[in-house]
Amino acid sequence: EYMGTSLPMNQRLTLCLLALAVLGSAAAPPGLVLIHGLLDHVSDFDQLVAWVSASNPAIDILVPDLYCGPESLAPLHEQVRAFTAAVAPFMAAHASEGVNILCFSQGNLICRAMLEEAPETWNVLNYIAVAGPLLGQYGVTSFLSPYLPAGLVTADAWELFYTPLGQEISVGNFWNDPFHEPLFLADNTFLPVVNVVPGAAINASLAARYKSAFERISGLVLIGGPQDGVITPWQSAHFGYYAPGSNSTIVPMDQQPVYLTDAFGLKTLDSRGAIATFTFPNVTHLEWRSTPVVYQTAIAPFL
């Protein structure tokens, strides 16, 4: 039998309310940030948002309405600054329970840069990379060609993209021509730096900061497939890419220089079992966010 001193009713009520508040806070699910891709609009996430909300209505979701449609062709450095500013208050509001971040297509490059620049106060749990050109793009596909100069073909695109003018186009910022690697390193001002590619123009202290920040995420989910039709090669979504001087031989992630040197933390994440890789056949680029098996298998378990 409890023999302690009984508290007055008002104090007992206050303690109950405090306990409920603590329990409610502890039970709050992680927030979710969604970053769209090239030529996208926030409405392109509607199906995904509906599935997430149906599974757990308590999940707070942020889809920044920035750089939609043709505006998404703006330089990626500019977009990274804007998306970071938009996401920062959400990160602060969910610092205790954390945030998962899902990025689609070009949006993955914005997310990669944001995560490497992220302050320690950002509590990012899983980074879900859906069909992203993570090691670059080498393909002027029918999806891209209407928004690029008429007649531009893959083999000659470096002549535009590896110039100051070409670097004012988002696609130029992640164009990775395997036949012109020295120019990629010298004239691409974005992707070689973000990926801390050996030989890129990035100083050691910044490279170390990028690595430390990216390693703070709890998990990395890589999603792609051979029928994507836009990301070229499609293995770029898994941090694989063409071998130097080839547009047919693929070097997988664990044989890439950025992995072997642990340039920005890929090898570290892999060593702690924090990378999950998913390959889905027969999913085209614009179907990734509305294909049930992709959501059920590779997205929902990580939210």
Side-chain angles (χ1 to χ4, degrees):
E1 182 180 357
Y2 178 68
M3 301 296 292
T5 304
S6 178
L7 291 172
M9 179 61 74
N10 64 331
Q11 291 186 27
R12 278 185 282 168
L13 180 59
T14 300
L15 287 173
C16 286
L17 290 173
L18 285 171
L20 286 172
V22 169
L23 287 171
S25 174
L32 176 61
V33 172
L34 305 175
I35 304 295
H36 70 74
L38 183 67
L39 306 173
D40 262 0
H41 297 82
V42 295
S43 60
D44 292 313
F45 276 118
D46 283 354
Q47 178 61 76
L48 183 60
V49 168
W51 282 334
V52 173
S53 298
S55 66
N56 190 341
I59 294 179
D60 193 10
I61 303 173
L62 173 68
V63 191
D65 190 4
L66 297 170
Y67 292 93
C68 297
E71 292 180 3
S72 63
L73 288 162
L76 289 179
H77 287 295
E78 174 187 321
Q79 294 194 53
V80 169
R81 289 191 295 269
F83 276 95
T84 300
V87 166
F90 189 85
M91 291 291 184
H94 295 277
S96 58
E97 66 271 24
V99 171
N100 294 306
I101 185 164
L102 182 149
C103 313
F104 174 67
S105 194
Q106 175 182 276
N108 280 285
L109 304 177
I110 295 168
C111 291
R112 286 270 297 105
M114 283 201 303
L115 292 174
E116 289 183 341
E117 294 281 359
E120 292 186 13
T121 53
W122 283 25
N123 182 12
V124 177
L125 304 177
N126 291 314
Y127 161 34
I128 304 169
V130 182
L134 297 170
L135 283 190
Q137 171 80 9
Y138 184 64
V140 177
T141 64
S142 58
F143 180 81
L144 295 173
S145 58
Y147 301 91
L148 298 173
L152 188 70
V153 296
T154 298
D156 298 333
W158 65 273
E159 295 179 340
L160 167 64
F161 290 141
Y162 295 161
T163 66
L165 175 62
Q167 289 299 294
E168 293 297 310
I169 305 169
S170 66
V171 181
N173 296 151
F174 58 93
W175 191 258
N176 184 357
D177 187 327
F179 298 97
H180 294 88
E181 274 200 294
L183 293 179
F184 169 68
L185 291 172
D187 297 327
N188 187 319
T189 62
F190 184 85
L191 190 61
V193 176
V194 169
N195 280 344
V196 195
V197 177
I202 179 171
N203 65 59
S205 62
L206 183 60
R209 181 158 65 86
Y210 281 2
K211 182 175 186 290
S212 176
F214 194 69
E215 288 173 353
R216 286 200 297 269
I217 65 174
S218 300
L220 171 62
V221 182
L222 303 173
I223 301 171
Q227 280 74 48
D228 180 278
V230 173
I231 303 304
T232 311
W234 70 265
Q235 292 92 341
S236 189
H238 292 163
F239 280 110
Y241 208 69
Y242 292 128
S246 171
N247 60 356
S248 58
T249 301
I250 297 294
V251 178
M253 178 184 75
D254 62 2
Q255 295 176 33
Q256 288 288 337
V258 294
Y259 179 93
L260 296 172
T261 61
D262 206 18
F264 59 87
L266 265 187
K267 190 174 183 179
T268 294
L269 291 176
D270 199 21
S271 69
R272 68 180 199 229
I275 300 179
T277 301
F278 295 90
T279 301
F280 294 92
N282 304 316
V283 180
T284 62
H285 194 65
L286 296 181
E287 295 174 335
W288 288 108
R289 290 164 293 181
S290 58
T291 298
V293 68
V294 175
Y295 174 74
Q296 295 159 3
T297 307
I299 296 175
F302 301 95
L303 301 180

